Amino acid sequence: MDLLRFITAGSVDDGKSTLIGRLLYDSKSILIDQLEAIEKQSKNREEGEIDLALLTDGLRAEREQGITIDVAYKYFSTPKRKFIIADAPGHIQYTRNMVTGASNSDLAIILIDARNGVVEQTRRHSIIASLLSIPHVVIAVNKMDLVDYSQDVYNNIVIDYAKVARATGLKDVKYIPISALQGDNIVERSTNISWYEGGSLLDILENTEVQKDLNYKDARFPVQYVIRPQTDDLHDYRGYAGKIISGVYRVGDPVVALPSGLKTRISGIEINGKRVEEAHVPQSVTLLLEDDIDISRGDIIVKDEALPKTEQELEALVCWMDAKPLVPGNKYLLQLNSRVVRAVVKNIEYKLNVNTLEKDYSPGRAELNDVFRAVIKTASPISFDRYDELRENGGAILIDETSNVTVGACMIQ
Amino acid sequence: MKQYRSDYLDHLESEAIHIFREVAGQFEKPALLFSGGKDSITLVHLALKAFRPGKFPFPLVHIDTGHNFPEALAFRDNLANSIGEKLIVRKVEDTIREKRLTEPVGKFASRNALQTYTLLDTIEEFGFDACIGGARRDEEKARAKERIFSVRDEFGQWNPKLQRPELWNTYNGRIHKGENVRVFPISNWTELDIWNYIRRENIQLPSIYFSHEREVLEHEGQLVAYSSFIRLDPGDKIVTRTVRYRTVGDMTCTAAVESKADSVEDIISEIIATKTSERGETRIDDKVSEAAMEDRKKNGYF
């Protein structure tokens, strides 16, 4: 049994919450007391049937306003897989939430209302999915019941969307006609849509291969913490604790610590205090090195076959997440895995319209939910990869040092 | 090329260890809030994996309401002893006395809400800047929206509308003086994941998680342990039932379930077959209001 993280994206009334409610309900992940609670609420709001969308509305503040204000995480599993759903709201002002939810998703379900077809928000969600390099995308054409399960309507949307997929560079795109409300093609294949030959949405979610999305080639190990017991019997023990974010490490491998460039070999690998010969992504391990070189939190231990770039200047696509605008010249902290360095956003090259992909080359400053390309200079060197090549070592955050808030998400180019 | 595979529990375990080490790397004075329940016992197990052969870079802290199950307290002391880590216990009773707090009254008078006072005092006493807890997002709707690193102000309050975006596996734990961060390494685990992990890792638990005979009061469909902490009314009948606990909190606000399951294996089969959620079945305190947890969290509760 493995794990799939996915995000659902859709416009306000595309039925996203209903879809998640349906997945949870039909996969029997909803239990009686939770159903009773939503039955009670459905009655409170004077609606006839159980409103499955209520299963995903978290906070009372949201229920009162009938909106979703933040990313919520939901869980269900089948005998094949455990699923983690990041439920991000679809309103325009919440681009930052979708970026957050998308950042560690393996797959995105983008909902399209069959009656409306591809709309501005569909493009935006697709562009964000592409910016965040989500490996797999499922286009779920929802509310098929409201267009009489028409194959023509569906086919036209598929043709329309294929243009979006091409423009945004999405690679693995699958299409499926559904009705979340009626349960068509969600868990079981629907007899109402007999012309559709693919599997149900759950089939797609269960069978999308994600193991090979992991990178076993480029070894990256950001050091989080140094374990030094300093007891009599472990006097010289120095263990570098961290998580292998990509690649494979073996005892005896020559390694380089960056940004210093100091070289040594792996003398031991420990998992749970036990010695192992090799370890791989995504394991959390402790590395022991042959030489006592100066390594601390924030350094990254790599193998010297495919080195990341180590520089003091980088270019990134940045999603701005703070109400305070970004003005070029502003200083921030940049955090990439365990490394934190001072940084200045030198200039904004262009702002990207996330609805049309148009570039605005005279943007001035960047506001909340803007996506822009910028040159960032750092006070000390940082070792990074291109985000679209190695997501795990190419995504960084910007932190406002005065408020301590995370204000930007950087996809390093 | 060689094929590597990782089970879903491997992913969850590695993520949790990573979070533990981020706490160690980012904070000066963290603490692990330990309740004696299965989730916090799992946290201790994960912390051992994260930091051995070194010591934990934090003490275990237990906020003792005085209404705990004796079995859970004994287990707590044994565990802290056997792993040789520091255990700090602070009692709600002392806070009630020193601060002249009003004890709740009623049939199942619960000190659950008063815990928050003792917790905040303890955070202040030791200057803890990060408190690690075993909350899971599947437990409850308000939890589903909380970050793994959840910043609280100096009153311990959670502001759901002002949460930091949490991207990739990057955790921003920077805070101002007086603030603290609540950290939830097993956010992404479900009840069933915990039990599957307990089985895989052969983690020992307090005996009350397994089937045993107990004197209980049957009240509105829930079985509440008979103890001196609950008020008996005329007509109340104490009966002996074969029960186990799905969650272990206070004796006054945790209900037992009838069960003959006396092994982890049997418990897992029961959970898979069950029709009621963990909180719904066993937490007396959540039934009060739809938004009970949301309100308590805003006030500094875990």
Side-chain angles (χ1 to χ4, degrees), chain B residues 34-49:
Chain B
F34 184 80
S35 72
K38 66 181 188 314
D39 296 329
S40 60
I41 292 168
T42 300
L43 283 185
V44 170
H45 184 83
L46 290 161
L48 288 166
K49 293 200 174 205

Side-chain angles (χ1 to χ4, degrees), chain A residues 384-403:
Chain A
F384 57 86
D385 289 274
R386 273 185 67 113
Y387 183 80
D388 57 2
E389 285 169 7
L390 216 173
R391 221 173 157 190
E392 290 72 16
N393 197 39
I397 58 170
L398 289 172
I399 301 166
D400 179 329
E401 242 188 306
T402 59
S403 67

Side-chain angles (χ1 to χ4, degrees), chain A residues 132-251:
Chain A
L132 272 294
S133 300
I134 299 181
H136 313 279
V137 172
V138 177
I139 301 300
V141 180
N142 191 25
K143 307 198 181 180
M144 288 301 294
D145 52 323
L146 301 183
V147 294
D148 297 326
Y149 300 103
S150 157
Q151 187 173 8
D152 285 347
V153 170
Y154 173 76
N155 284 344
N156 285 333
I157 292 173
V158 171
I159 291 166
D160 247 17
Y161 188 82
K163 292 176 213 150
V164 178
R166 246 193 328 274
T168 50
L170 293 172
K171 284 171 199 89
D172 178 24
V173 181
K174 295 187 180 77
Y175 298 87
I176 183 170
I178 63 167
S179 165
L181 194 66
Q182 307 299 334
D184 293 309
N185 277 349
I186 306 296
V187 169
E188 304 289 338
R189 285 208 37 199
S190 165
T191 48
N192 291 325
I193 318 180
S194 50
W195 46 262
Y196 167 74
E197 285 168 1
S200 71
L201 182 60
L202 189 62
D203 282 336
I204 297 176
L205 294 176
E206 281 188 323
N207 295 309
T208 298
E209 176 64 60
V210 289
Q211 199 80 28
K212 60 175 187 245
D213 295 338
L214 291 174
N215 177 329
Y216 292 99
K217 212 167 72 257
D218 308 305
R220 302 284 182 266
F221 182 84
V223 176
Q224 295 180 266
Y225 182 73
V226 183
I227 296 174
R228 300 208 62 186
Q230 291 175 310
T231 52
D232 289 343
D233 51 330
L234 290 168
H235 192 71
D236 296 322
Y237 183 100
R238 235 183 130 81
Y240 299 99
K243 182 177 172 179
I244 301 174
I245 56 172
S246 65
V248 180
Y249 289 84
R250 288 183 196 87
V251 174

Side-chain angles (χ1 to χ4, degrees), chain A residues 195-370:
Chain A
W195 46 262
Y196 167 74
E197 285 168 1
S200 71
L201 182 60
L202 189 62
D203 282 336
I204 297 176
L205 294 176
E206 281 188 323
N207 295 309
T208 298
E209 176 64 60
V210 289
Q211 199 80 28
K212 60 175 187 245
D213 295 338
L214 291 174
N215 177 329
Y216 292 99
K217 212 167 72 257
D218 308 305
R220 302 284 182 266
F221 182 84
V223 176
Q224 295 180 266
Y225 182 73
V226 183
I227 296 174
R228 300 208 62 186
Q230 291 175 310
T231 52
D232 289 343
D233 51 330
L234 290 168
H235 192 71
D236 296 322
Y237 183 100
R238 235 183 130 81
Y240 299 99
K243 182 177 172 179
I244 301 174
I245 56 172
S246 65
V248 180
Y249 289 84
R250 288 183 196 87
V251 174
D253 278 348
V255 291
V256 188
L258 292 172
S260 70
L262 294 169
K263 292 185 178 178
T264 182
R265 275 172 195 279
I266 294 177
S267 60
I269 303 174
E270 291 182 356
I271 298 179
N272 191 20
K274 289 186 198 75
R275 293 290 181 114
V276 293
E277 273 308 300
E278 69 169 11
H280 57 86
V281 58
Q283 292 177 314
S284 280
V285 304
T286 304
L287 293 187
L288 305 171
L289 303 177
E290 269 178 18
D291 305 289
D292 192 7
I293 56 177
D294 182 23
I295 297 177
S296 54
R297 175 175 170 84
D299 292 339
I300 182 166
I301 297 173
V302 305
K303 295 206 275 193
D304 59 3
E305 2 191 282
L307 291 174
K309 276 191 194 166
T310 299
E311 286 169 16
Q312 278 185 251
E313 191 169 279
L314 55 91
E315 287 201 37
L317 277 166
V318 183
C319 173
W320 198 246
M321 304 186 146
D322 199 37
K324 270 193 289 179
L326 167 99
V327 182
N330 282 6
K331 294 186 178 63
Y332 299 96
L333 294 173
L334 182 132
Q335 181 177 354
L336 173 62
N337 291 312
S338 59
R339 187 164 185 82
V340 181
V341 294
R342 270 169 216 288
V344 58
V345 179
K346 271 179 39 185
N347 62 299
I348 300 177
E349 248 172 85
Y350 60 80
K351 212 189 270 189
L352 186 72
N353 183 323
V354 288
N355 299 325
T356 62
L357 281 177
E358 278 165 27
K359 293 168 185 169
D360 170 6
Y361 283 94
S362 51
R365 58 188 204 173
E367 315 273 351
L368 176 64
N369 292 312
D370 277 350

